[in-house]
Amino acid sequence: MKRRVALVLAILRGETIASESVRRHGLTVAEIERWKERFLGGAENALRSRPLDDEDLKDQKIKRQQRKVGELVMDIDILKESSKTNPSQRRMRDE
């Protein structure tokens, strides 16, 4: 866990970038982003005048994930609609 904290802090401080850490440590960008999100969420909660308990933190995380899923679904819908109106893209897919 100490290595994860050190890595996230190095990225947040600008001492390294995620893509460099991915190569150097054999990680994925998703892993690093998940660690960063958890780290920042914990820091935010620590600075609250009344910190959230574990259940509230879990609910907050679920809501964030639901928003992300909703955004991705909207992106997919937009891409589907644009492919209907742009025949050249449809032809390229069919080839």
Side-chain angles (χ1 to χ4, degrees), residues 30-51:
E31 283 177 302
I32 292 174
E33 289 301 316
R34 190 170 46 250
W35 296 347
K36 203 164 83 173
E37 184 178 312
R38 289 178 61 198
F39 182 88
L40 293 173
E44 180 182 327
N45 191 44
L47 295 175
R48 290 179 185 269
S49 58
R50 292 185 0 206

Side-chain angles (χ1 to χ4, degrees), residues 16-27:
T16 188
I17 57 174
S19 60
E20 181 181 317
S21 299
V22 165
R23 283 190 307 274
R24 183 181 300 152
H25 301 289
L27 302 167

Side-chain angles (χ1 to χ4, degrees), residues 4-17:
R4 290 180 188 178
V5 171
L7 178 61
V8 169
L9 283 173
I11 291 170
L12 293 174
R13 291 179 181 143
E15 297 167 358
T16 188
I17 57 174

